Coordinates of all heavy atoms in Angstrom, one line a residue:
M1 N 15.6 -15.9 39.5 CA 16.1 -14.8 38.7 C 17.6 -14.9 38.7 O 18.2 -15.0 39.8 CB 15.5 -13.6 39.3 CG 16.0 -12.3 38.6 SD 14.8 -11.8 37.5 CE 15.7 -10.5 36.6
L2 N 18.2 -14.7 37.6 CA 19.6 -14.7 37.5 C 20.2 -13.4 38.1 O 19.7 -12.3 37.9 CB 20.2 -14.9 36.1 CG 19.7 -16.3 35.5 CD1 20.1 -16.3 34.0 CD2 20.4 -17.4 36.2
K3 N 21.4 -13.5 38.7 CA 22.0 -12.4 39.3 C 23.3 -12.1 38.4 O 24.1 -12.9 38.1 CB 22.5 -12.7 40.7 CG 23.2 -11.5 41.4 CD 23.5 -11.8 42.8 CE 24.3 -10.7 43.4 NZ 24.9 -11.0 44.7
L4 N 23.4 -10.8 38.0 CA 24.5 -10.4 37.2 C 25.7 -10.2 38.1 O 25.7 -9.6 39.1 CB 24.2 -9.1 36.5 CG 25.1 -8.6 35.4 CD1 25.2 -9.5 34.2 CD2 24.7 -7.2 35.0
Q5 N 26.9 -10.8 37.6 CA 28.1 -10.7 38.4 C 29.3 -10.3 37.5 O 29.2 -10.6 36.3 CB 28.6 -12.0 39.0 CG 27.6 -12.6 40.0 CD 28.0 -13.9 40.5 OE1 29.2 -14.2 40.7 NE2 27.1 -14.8 40.8
K6 N 30.3 -9.6 38.0 CA 31.5 -9.2 37.3 C 32.5 -10.4 37.7 O 32.8 -10.6 38.9 CB 32.0 -8.0 37.7 CG 31.3 -6.7 37.1 CD 31.8 -6.5 35.7 CE 31.2 -5.2 35.2 NZ 31.7 -4.9 33.9
I7 N 33.0 -11.1 36.7 CA 33.9 -12.3 36.9 C 35.2 -12.0 36.2 O 35.2 -11.4 35.1 CB 33.3 -13.5 36.4 CG1 32.0 -13.9 37.2 CG2 34.3 -14.7 36.5 CD1 31.2 -15.1 36.9
L8 N 36.3 -12.3 36.8 CA 37.6 -12.2 36.2 C 37.7 -13.1 35.0 O 37.4 -14.3 35.1 CB 38.7 -12.6 37.3 CG 39.0 -11.6 38.4 CD1 40.0 -12.2 39.4 CD2 39.6 -10.3 37.8
I9 N 38.1 -12.6 33.9 CA 38.2 -13.3 32.7 C 39.2 -14.5 32.9 O 39.1 -15.5 32.4 CB 38.6 -12.4 31.5 CG1 37.5 -11.5 31.2 CG2 39.0 -13.2 30.3 CD1 37.7 -10.4 30.1
S10 N 40.3 -14.2 33.6 CA 41.3 -15.2 33.9 C 40.8 -16.5 34.7 O 41.4 -17.5 34.6 CB 42.4 -14.7 34.6 OG 42.0 -14.2 35.9
E11 N 39.6 -16.3 35.2 CA 39.0 -17.4 36.1 C 38.0 -18.2 35.2 O 37.3 -19.1 35.8 CB 38.3 -16.9 37.3 CG 39.4 -16.4 38.3 CD 38.7 -15.9 39.6 OE1 37.5 -15.9 39.7 OE2 39.5 -15.4 40.4
I12 N 37.8 -18.0 33.9 CA 36.9 -18.6 33.1 C 37.6 -19.6 32.2 O 38.5 -19.2 31.4 CB 36.1 -17.6 32.3 CG1 35.4 -16.6 33.2 CG2 35.1 -18.3 31.4 CD1 34.6 -15.5 32.5
Y13 N 37.2 -20.8 32.3 CA 37.8 -21.9 31.4 C 36.8 -22.1 30.2 O 35.6 -22.1 30.3 CB 37.8 -23.1 32.2 CG 38.1 -24.4 31.3 CD1 39.5 -24.5 30.8 CD2 37.2 -25.3 31.0 CE1 39.7 -25.7 29.9 CE2 37.5 -26.4 30.2 CZ 38.8 -26.5 29.7 OH 39.0 -27.6 28.9
V14 N 37.4 -22.1 29.0 CA 36.7 -22.4 27.8 C 37.0 -23.8 27.3 O 38.1 -24.1 27.0 CB 37.1 -21.3 26.7 CG1 36.2 -21.7 25.4 CG2 36.8 -19.9 27.2
P15 N 36.0 -24.7 27.3 CA 36.2 -26.0 26.9 C 36.7 -26.1 25.4 O 36.4 -25.2 24.6 CB 34.8 -26.7 26.9 CG 34.0 -25.8 27.9 CD 34.6 -24.5 27.7
V16 N 37.5 -27.1 25.1 CA 38.1 -27.2 23.8 C 37.1 -27.2 22.7 O 37.3 -26.7 21.7 CB 39.1 -28.5 23.8 CG1 39.6 -28.7 22.4 CG2 40.1 -28.4 24.8
K17 N 36.0 -27.9 22.9 CA 34.9 -28.0 22.0 C 34.4 -26.6 21.5 O 34.2 -26.3 20.4 CB 33.7 -28.8 22.5 CG 33.8 -30.2 22.4 CD 32.6 -30.8 23.0 CE 32.3 -32.2 22.4 NZ 31.0 -32.7 23.0
R18 N 34.3 -25.7 22.5 CA 33.8 -24.4 22.3 C 34.9 -23.6 21.5 O 34.5 -22.8 20.6 CB 33.5 -23.7 23.5 CG 32.3 -24.2 24.2 CD 31.5 -22.9 24.5 NE 30.3 -23.4 25.2 CZ 29.1 -23.5 24.6 NH1 29.0 -23.2 23.4 NH2 28.0 -23.9 25.3
R19 N 36.2 -23.7 21.9 CA 37.2 -23.0 21.2 C 37.3 -23.3 19.7 O 37.7 -22.4 19.0 CB 38.6 -23.3 21.8 CG 38.8 -22.7 23.1 CD 40.3 -22.4 23.4 NE 40.4 -21.8 24.6 CZ 40.4 -20.5 24.8 NH1 40.2 -19.7 23.8 NH2 40.5 -20.0 26.0
K20 N 36.9 -24.4 19.2 CA 36.9 -24.8 17.9 C 36.0 -23.9 17.0 O 36.2 -23.8 15.8 CB 36.7 -26.3 17.7 CG 37.7 -27.2 18.1 CD 37.4 -28.6 18.0 CE 38.5 -29.5 18.5 NZ 38.1 -31.0 18.3
S21 N 35.0 -23.4 17.7 CA 34.0 -22.5 16.9 C 34.3 -21.1 16.9 O 33.6 -20.3 16.4 CB 32.6 -22.8 17.5 OG 32.5 -22.3 18.8
L22 N 35.6 -20.7 17.4 CA 36.0 -19.3 17.5 C 36.2 -18.8 16.0 O 37.0 -19.3 15.3 CB 37.2 -19.2 18.3 CG 37.6 -17.7 18.6 CD1 36.5 -17.0 19.5 CD2 38.9 -17.7 19.4
D23 N 35.6 -17.6 15.8 CA 35.7 -16.9 14.5 C 36.4 -15.5 14.8 O 35.8 -14.7 15.4 CB 34.4 -16.8 13.8 CG 34.4 -16.0 12.5 OD1 35.5 -15.4 12.2 OD2 33.4 -15.9 11.8
S24 N 37.7 -15.4 14.5 CA 38.4 -14.2 14.8 C 37.8 -12.9 14.1 O 37.9 -11.9 14.8 CB 39.9 -14.3 14.4 OG 40.0 -14.6 13.1
A25 N 37.2 -13.0 13.0 CA 36.6 -11.8 12.3 C 35.4 -11.4 13.2 O 35.3 -10.2 13.4 CB 36.2 -12.2 11.0
K26 N 34.7 -12.4 13.7 CA 33.5 -12.0 14.6 C 33.9 -11.3 15.8 O 33.3 -10.4 16.4 CB 32.7 -13.2 14.8 CG 31.4 -12.9 15.5 CD 30.5 -14.2 15.6 CE 29.2 -14.0 16.2 NZ 28.3 -15.1 16.3
V27 N 35.1 -11.8 16.4 CA 35.6 -11.3 17.6 C 36.0 -9.8 17.4 O 35.7 -8.9 18.3 CB 36.9 -12.1 18.1 CG1 37.5 -11.4 19.3 CG2 36.4 -13.5 18.6
E28 N 36.7 -9.5 16.3 CA 37.1 -8.1 16.0 C 35.8 -7.2 15.8 O 35.8 -6.1 16.4 CB 37.8 -8.1 14.6 CG 39.3 -8.6 14.8 CD 40.1 -8.5 13.5 OE1 39.9 -7.5 12.8 OE2 40.8 -9.4 13.3
L29 N 34.8 -7.7 15.1 CA 33.6 -6.8 15.0 C 32.9 -6.6 16.4 O 32.5 -5.4 16.7 CB 32.6 -7.5 14.1 CG 33.0 -7.6 12.6 CD1 32.0 -8.4 11.8 CD2 33.0 -6.1 12.0
L30 N 32.9 -7.6 17.2 CA 32.3 -7.4 18.5 C 33.2 -6.5 19.3 O 32.5 -5.6 20.1 CB 32.2 -8.8 19.2 CG 31.0 -9.6 19.0 CD1 31.0 -11.0 19.5 CD2 29.7 -8.9 19.5
A31 N 34.4 -6.6 19.3 CA 35.3 -5.7 20.1 C 35.1 -4.2 19.6 O 35.0 -3.4 20.5 CB 36.8 -6.0 19.8
E32 N 34.9 -4.0 18.3 CA 34.7 -2.6 17.9 C 33.3 -2.2 18.4 O 33.1 -1.0 18.9 CB 34.6 -2.6 16.4 CG 36.0 -2.8 15.7 CD 36.0 -2.8 14.2 OE1 34.9 -2.5 13.6 OE2 37.0 -3.2 13.6
D33 N 32.3 -3.0 18.4 CA 31.0 -2.7 18.8 C 31.0 -2.4 20.4 O 30.3 -1.5 20.8 CB 29.9 -3.8 18.6 CG 28.5 -3.4 18.9 OD1 28.0 -2.4 18.3 OD2 28.0 -4.0 19.8
I34 N 31.7 -3.2 21.1 CA 31.8 -3.0 22.5 C 32.5 -1.6 22.9 O 32.1 -0.9 23.8 CB 32.6 -4.2 23.2 CG1 31.7 -5.4 23.2 CG2 33.0 -3.8 24.7 CD1 32.4 -6.7 23.6
L35 N 33.5 -1.3 22.1 CA 34.2 0.0 22.2 C 33.2 1.1 22.0 O 33.2 2.1 22.8 CB 35.3 0.2 21.3 CG 36.7 -0.5 21.7 CD1 37.7 -0.4 20.6 CD2 37.2 0.1 23.1
E36 N 32.4 1.0 21.0 CA 31.4 2.1 20.6 C 30.2 2.1 21.6 O 29.8 3.2 22.0 CB 30.9 1.9 19.2 CG 32.1 2.2 18.2 CD 31.6 1.9 16.7 OE1 30.4 1.8 16.5 OE2 32.5 1.8 15.9
N37 N 29.6 1.0 21.9 CA 28.4 0.9 22.6 C 28.4 0.3 23.9 O 27.3 0.2 24.6 CB 27.3 0.2 21.6 CG 27.3 0.8 20.3 OD1 27.0 2.0 20.2 ND2 27.5 -0.1 19.3
G38 N 29.6 -0.3 24.4 CA 29.6 -1.0 25.6 C 29.2 -2.4 25.5 O 28.6 -2.9 24.5
H39 N 29.4 -3.2 26.5 CA 29.1 -4.6 26.6 C 27.7 -4.7 27.1 O 27.5 -4.5 28.3 CB 30.1 -5.4 27.4 CG 29.9 -6.8 27.5 ND1 30.2 -7.5 28.7 CD2 29.5 -7.7 26.6 CE1 29.9 -8.8 28.4 NE2 29.5 -8.9 27.2
K40 N 26.8 -5.1 26.3 CA 25.3 -5.1 26.7 C 24.8 -6.5 27.1 O 24.0 -6.6 28.0 CB 24.5 -4.6 25.5 CG 24.8 -3.2 25.2 CD 24.0 -2.7 24.1 CE 24.3 -1.3 23.7 NZ 23.6 -0.8 22.5
V41 N 25.2 -7.6 26.5 CA 24.7 -8.9 26.7 C 25.7 -9.7 27.6 O 26.8 -10.1 27.1 CB 24.4 -9.6 25.4 CG1 23.7 -11.0 25.7 CG2 23.4 -8.9 24.6
P42 N 25.4 -10.0 28.8 CA 26.3 -10.8 29.6 C 26.5 -12.2 29.1 O 25.7 -12.8 28.4 CB 25.7 -10.9 31.0 CG 24.6 -9.8 31.0 CD 24.2 -9.7 29.5
I43 N 27.7 -12.8 29.4 CA 28.0 -14.2 29.0 C 27.4 -15.0 30.1 O 26.9 -14.6 31.1 CB 29.5 -14.5 28.9 CG1 30.2 -14.3 30.3 CG2 30.1 -13.6 27.8 CD1 31.6 -14.8 30.2
Q44 N 27.3 -16.4 29.9 CA 26.8 -17.3 30.9 C 27.9 -18.3 31.2 O 28.6 -18.8 30.3 CB 25.6 -18.1 30.3 CG 24.4 -17.3 30.1 CD 23.2 -18.0 29.6 OE1 23.1 -19.3 29.7 NE2 22.2 -17.4 29.0
V45 N 28.2 -18.5 32.5 CA 29.1 -19.5 33.0 C 28.4 -20.4 34.0 O 27.4 -20.0 34.5 CB 30.4 -18.8 33.6 CG1 31.0 -17.9 32.6 CG2 29.9 -17.9 34.7
R46 N 29.1 -21.5 34.2 CA 28.7 -22.4 35.4 C 29.8 -22.5 36.3 O 31.0 -22.4 35.9 CB 28.2 -23.7 34.9 CG 29.2 -24.6 34.2 CD 28.7 -26.0 33.9 NE 29.6 -26.7 33.1 CZ 30.6 -27.4 33.7 NH1 30.9 -27.4 35.0 NH2 31.5 -28.1 32.9
Q47 N 29.5 -22.9 37.5 CA 30.6 -23.1 38.5 C 31.3 -24.5 38.2 O 30.6 -25.5 38.1 CB 30.0 -23.1 39.9 CG 31.1 -23.2 41.0 CD 31.8 -21.9 41.1 OE1 31.3 -20.8 41.2 NE2 33.1 -22.0 41.1
G48 N 32.6 -24.4 38.1 CA 33.4 -25.6 37.9 C 34.2 -25.9 39.2 O 34.0 -25.3 40.2
K49 N 35.2 -26.8 39.1 CA 36.0 -27.0 40.3 C 37.1 -25.9 40.3 O 38.1 -25.9 39.6 CB 36.7 -28.4 40.1 CG 35.7 -29.5 40.2 CD 36.5 -30.8 40.1 CE 35.4 -32.0 40.2 NZ 36.0 -33.3 39.9
G50 N 36.9 -24.9 41.2 CA 37.8 -23.9 41.4 C 37.9 -22.8 40.3 O 38.8 -22.0 40.3
R51 N 37.0 -22.9 39.5 CA 36.9 -21.9 38.3 C 35.5 -21.9 37.7 O 34.6 -22.6 38.1 CB 37.9 -22.3 37.2 CG 37.7 -23.7 36.6 CD 38.7 -24.1 35.6 NE 38.4 -25.4 35.2 CZ 39.2 -26.1 34.4 NH1 40.3 -25.6 34.0 NH2 38.8 -27.3 34.0
F52 N 35.2 -21.0 36.8 CA 34.0 -20.9 36.1 C 34.3 -21.5 34.7 O 35.3 -21.5 34.1 CB 33.6 -19.4 35.9 CG 33.2 -18.8 37.2 CD1 34.0 -18.0 37.9 CD2 32.0 -19.1 37.8 CE1 33.7 -17.4 39.1 CE2 31.6 -18.5 39.0 CZ 32.5 -17.6 39.6
V53 N 33.2 -22.2 34.1 CA 33.3 -22.8 32.8 C 32.3 -22.1 31.9 O 31.1 -21.9 32.3 CB 32.9 -24.3 32.9 CG1 33.0 -24.9 31.6 CG2 33.9 -25.0 33.9
L54 N 32.8 -21.6 30.8 CA 31.9 -20.9 29.8 C 30.8 -21.8 29.3 O 31.1 -22.9 28.9 CB 32.7 -20.4 28.6 CG 32.0 -19.6 27.6 CD1 31.7 -18.2 28.2 CD2 32.8 -19.4 26.4
V55 N 29.6 -21.3 29.3 CA 28.4 -21.9 28.8 C 28.0 -21.2 27.5 O 27.7 -21.9 26.6 CB 27.3 -22.0 29.8 CG1 26.0 -22.5 29.2 CG2 27.6 -22.7 31.1
E56 N 27.9 -20.0 27.5 CA 27.5 -19.2 26.4 C 28.2 -17.8 26.3 O 28.4 -17.2 27.3 CB 26.0 -18.9 26.5 CG 25.3 -18.2 25.3 CD 25.2 -19.0 24.1 OE1 25.0 -20.3 24.2 OE2 25.4 -18.5 23.0
G57 N 28.7 -17.5 25.1 CA 29.3 -16.1 24.9 C 30.8 -16.1 24.6 O 31.5 -15.2 25.0
L58 N 31.2 -17.1 23.9 CA 32.7 -17.2 23.6 C 33.2 -16.0 22.8 O 34.2 -15.5 23.2 CB 32.9 -18.5 22.7 CG 34.4 -18.7 22.2 CD1 35.4 -18.7 23.3 CD2 34.5 -19.8 21.3
H59 N 32.5 -15.5 21.8 CA 33.0 -14.4 21.0 C 33.0 -13.1 21.9 O 33.9 -12.3 21.8 CB 32.2 -14.2 19.7 CG 32.4 -15.3 18.8 ND1 31.7 -16.5 18.8 CD2 33.4 -15.4 17.9 CE1 32.1 -17.2 17.9 NE2 33.2 -16.6 17.3
R60 N 32.0 -12.9 22.7 CA 32.0 -11.7 23.6 C 33.1 -11.8 24.7 O 33.7 -10.8 24.9 CB 30.6 -11.8 24.4 CG 29.5 -11.2 23.5 CD 28.1 -11.4 24.2 NE 27.7 -12.8 24.0 CZ 26.8 -13.4 24.7 NH1 26.3 -12.8 25.7 NH2 26.5 -14.6 24.4
L61 N 33.3 -13.0 25.2 CA 34.5 -13.2 26.1 C 35.8 -12.8 25.5 O 36.6 -12.1 26.0 CB 34.5 -14.7 26.6 CG 35.6 -15.0 27.5 CD1 35.6 -14.3 28.9 CD2 35.7 -16.5 27.7
E62 N 36.0 -13.3 24.3 CA 37.3 -13.0 23.6 C 37.4 -11.7 23.1 O 38.5 -11.1 23.1 CB 37.4 -14.0 22.3 CG 37.6 -15.5 22.7 CD 38.9 -15.7 23.5 OE1 39.9 -15.1 23.3 OE2 38.8 -16.6 24.4
A63 N 36.3 -11.0 22.7 CA 36.3 -9.6 22.4 C 36.7 -8.7 23.6 O 37.6 -7.9 23.5 CB 34.9 -9.2 21.9
C64 N 36.1 -9.0 24.7 CA 36.5 -8.2 26.0 C 37.9 -8.5 26.3 O 38.6 -7.6 26.7 CB 35.5 -8.6 27.1 SG 33.9 -7.9 26.9
N65 N 38.4 -9.7 26.2 CA 39.7 -10.1 26.5 C 40.7 -9.3 25.6 O 41.7 -8.8 26.0 CB 40.0 -11.6 26.4 CG 41.2 -12.0 27.0 OD1 41.7 -11.5 28.0 ND2 41.8 -13.2 26.5
S66 N 40.4 -9.2 24.3 CA 41.2 -8.6 23.3 C 41.3 -7.1 23.6 O 42.3 -6.4 23.2 CB 40.8 -8.8 21.9 OG 39.5 -8.1 21.6
L67 N 40.3 -6.5 24.3 CA 40.3 -5.1 24.6 C 41.0 -4.8 25.9 O 41.1 -3.7 26.3 CB 38.8 -4.6 24.7 CG 38.0 -4.6 23.4 CD1 36.6 -4.3 23.7 CD2 38.6 -3.6 22.5
G68 N 41.5 -5.9 26.5 CA 42.3 -5.7 27.8 C 41.4 -5.6 29.1 O 41.9 -5.3 30.1
E69 N 40.2 -6.0 28.9 CA 39.3 -6.0 30.1 C 39.8 -7.2 31.0 O 40.2 -8.2 30.6 CB 37.8 -6.3 29.7 CG 37.3 -5.3 28.8 CD 37.0 -4.0 29.5 OE1 36.8 -3.9 30.7 OE2 37.1 -2.9 28.8
E70 N 39.7 -6.9 32.3 CA 40.0 -7.9 33.3 C 38.8 -8.7 33.8 O 38.9 -9.9 34.2 CB 40.7 -7.2 34.5 CG 42.1 -6.7 34.1 CD 42.9 -6.1 35.3 OE1 42.4 -6.4 36.5 OE2 43.8 -5.5 35.1
K71 N 37.6 -8.0 33.8 CA 36.4 -8.6 34.3 C 35.4 -8.5 33.2 O 35.4 -7.6 32.3 CB 35.9 -8.0 35.6 CG 36.8 -8.2 36.7 CD 36.2 -7.6 38.0 CE 37.0 -7.8 39.2 NZ 36.4 -7.4 40.4
I72 N 34.3 -9.4 33.2 CA 33.2 -9.5 32.3 C 32.0 -9.7 33.0 O 31.9 -10.4 34.0 CB 33.5 -10.5 31.2 CG1 32.5 -10.3 30.0 CG2 33.5 -11.9 31.7 CD1 32.9 -11.1 28.8
S73 N 30.9 -9.0 32.5 CA 29.5 -9.3 33.1 C 29.1 -10.6 32.8 O 29.1 -11.0 31.6 CB 28.6 -8.2 32.5 OG 28.9 -6.9 32.9
S74 N 28.7 -11.4 33.8 CA 28.3 -12.8 33.5 C 27.1 -13.2 34.4 O 26.9 -12.6 35.5 CB 29.5 -13.7 34.0 OG 30.6 -13.2 33.4
Y75 N 26.3 -14.2 34.0 CA 25.3 -14.8 34.7 C 25.8 -16.2 35.1 O 26.4 -16.9 34.2 CB 24.1 -15.1 33.9 CG 23.2 -13.8 33.7 CD1 22.9 -13.3 32.4 CD2 22.8 -13.0 34.7 CE1 22.2 -12.3 32.1 CE2 22.1 -11.9 34.5 CZ 21.7 -11.5 33.2 OH 21.0 -10.4 33.0
V76 N 25.8 -16.6 36.4 CA 26.2 -17.9 36.8 C 24.9 -18.8 36.7 O 23.9 -18.5 37.4 CB 26.9 -18.0 38.2 CG1 27.2 -19.4 38.6 CG2 28.1 -17.1 38.2
V77 N 25.0 -19.8 35.8 CA 23.8 -20.6 35.6 C 24.0 -22.0 36.1 O 25.2 -22.5 36.2 CB 23.4 -20.6 34.1 CG1 23.0 -19.2 33.7 CG2 24.4 -21.1 33.2
Q78 N 23.0 -22.8 36.2 CA 23.1 -24.2 36.5 C 23.0 -24.8 35.1 O 22.0 -24.7 34.4 CB 21.9 -24.7 37.3 CG 21.8 -24.0 38.7 CD 23.0 -24.4 39.6 OE1 23.4 -25.6 39.5 NE2 23.5 -23.5 40.4
A79 N 24.0 -25.6 34.7 CA 24.0 -26.2 33.4 C 24.7 -27.5 33.4 O 25.6 -27.7 34.3 CB 24.8 -25.3 32.4
Q80 N 24.3 -28.4 32.6 CA 24.9 -29.7 32.5 C 26.3 -29.5 31.8 O 26.5 -28.7 30.9 CB 24.0 -30.6 31.6 CG 22.7 -30.9 32.1 CD 22.8 -31.8 33.3 OE1 23.7 -32.7 33.4 NE2 21.9 -31.6 34.3
K81 N 27.2 -30.5 32.2 CA 28.5 -30.6 31.4 C 28.2 -31.1 30.0 O 27.3 -31.9 29.9 CB 29.4 -31.5 32.1 CG 29.8 -31.0 33.5 CD 30.7 -31.9 34.3 CE 31.0 -31.5 35.6 NZ 31.9 -32.4 36.3
F82 N 28.9 -30.6 29.0 CA 28.6 -31.0 27.7 C 29.8 -31.7 27.1 O 30.8 -31.9 27.7 CB 28.2 -29.9 26.8 CG 29.2 -28.8 26.7 CD1 30.1 -28.7 25.7 CD2 29.1 -27.8 27.6 CE1 30.9 -27.6 25.7 CE2 29.9 -26.6 27.6 CZ 30.8 -26.6 26.6

């Protein structure tokens, strides 16, 4: 069973491959939804060397970051490097 954790956004590394798929319009819509309804779906990260690496949830991460959040709800998963 995965354990939900609050992780500092500043400690999450987003691989360059993932950043290329970022859609700023989607981030804005998610940010508005998070303001109205709260952050419901945690992101997924894996443990890296001295930091966490994003596995799933780029747009949610960026939306929370744009709202000035310092921490985000996350699941730490076992994942292959891609």
Side-chain angles (χ1 to χ4, degrees):
M1 181 94 192
L2 296 173
K3 183 180 173 189
L4 189 62
Q5 297 181 35
K6 286 279 193 175
I7 296 176
L8 288 171
I9 291 174
S10 61
E11 292 181 0
I12 301 172
Y13 169 73
V14 179
V16 175
K17 279 180 154 179
R18 287 228 183 262
R19 281 208 183 273
K20 290 181 182 179
S21 66
L22 187 64
D23 179 350
S24 58
K26 189 172 182 178
V27 171
E28 285 183 38
L29 288 173
L30 273 170
E32 289 174 17
D33 185 63
I34 290 170
L35 278 175
E36 292 176 15
N37 304 306
H39 182 214
K40 295 180 181 177
V41 181
I43 65 169
Q44 293 180 18
V45 296
R46 67 175 173 80
Q47 187 68 53
K49 293 181 181 177
R51 62 185 175 186
F52 293 98
V53 179
L54 183 71
V55 173
E56 183 71 36
L58 174 62
H59 291 92
R60 286 171 276 159
L61 175 67
E62 292 299 327
C64 287
N65 195 29
S66 73
L67 292 171
E69 298 290 329
E70 292 183 14
K71 293 184 177 184
I72 188 167
S73 297
S74 311
Y75 289 123
V76 179
V77 298
Q78 299 293 323
Q80 295 289 329
K81 296 178 183 178
F82 56 94

